[in-house]
Amino acid sequence: KRYHHGYLKIKMIRNKNEEALEIADEVIAKYPKDGYAYYIRGNLKRDYLKRYKEGNVDIAKGKELGWNSGFGLLFFK
């Protein structure tokens, strides 16, 4: 099964934020050095789930790893 980051946006638009978070968590578990996955999960937590502190930590981690260096969230099997 493949996921594209747009899939997470669809989940969020449909107010299925917890499902989107589960997918983001799976990606990070599989690709722990994927900065983009942390960046997207951070925005999900902060902007949609209102978990500002947790979201900011993930966003900072994404920037530290290089948020544009990740690929796992774009194509996750």
Side-chain angles (χ1 to χ4, degrees):
K1 208 171 195 183
R2 289 186 147 186
Y3 295 107
H4 187 274
H5 73 281
Y7 182 74
L8 294 179
K9 282 189 175 184
I10 291 168
K11 289 282 187 188
M12 291 182 267
I13 289 168
R14 292 183 176 169
N15 205 26
K16 296 187 180 206
N17 301 321
E18 291 297 332
E19 290 178 28
L21 183 60
E22 288 176 19
I23 293 165
D25 288 343
E26 287 179 39
V27 173
I28 288 172
K30 188 166 184 173
Y31 303 104
K33 302 257 186 218
D34 189 328
Y36 188 62
Y38 281 96
Y39 180 77
I40 293 298
R41 186 176 76 173
N43 282 293
L44 168 62
K45 285 179 178 178
R46 189 182 65 188
D47 299 339
Y48 290 86
L49 298 172
K50 308 303 182 205
R51 298 179 193 169
Y52 301 107
K53 190 173 184 177
E54 290 178 36
N56 288 334
V57 168
D58 276 352
I59 290 169
K61 178 76 172 178
K63 287 180 181 177
E64 175 188 320
L65 291 171
W67 72 268
N68 59 350
S69 67
F71 70 94
L73 198 57
L74 293 175
F75 296 101
F76 173 65
K77 288 185 179 184

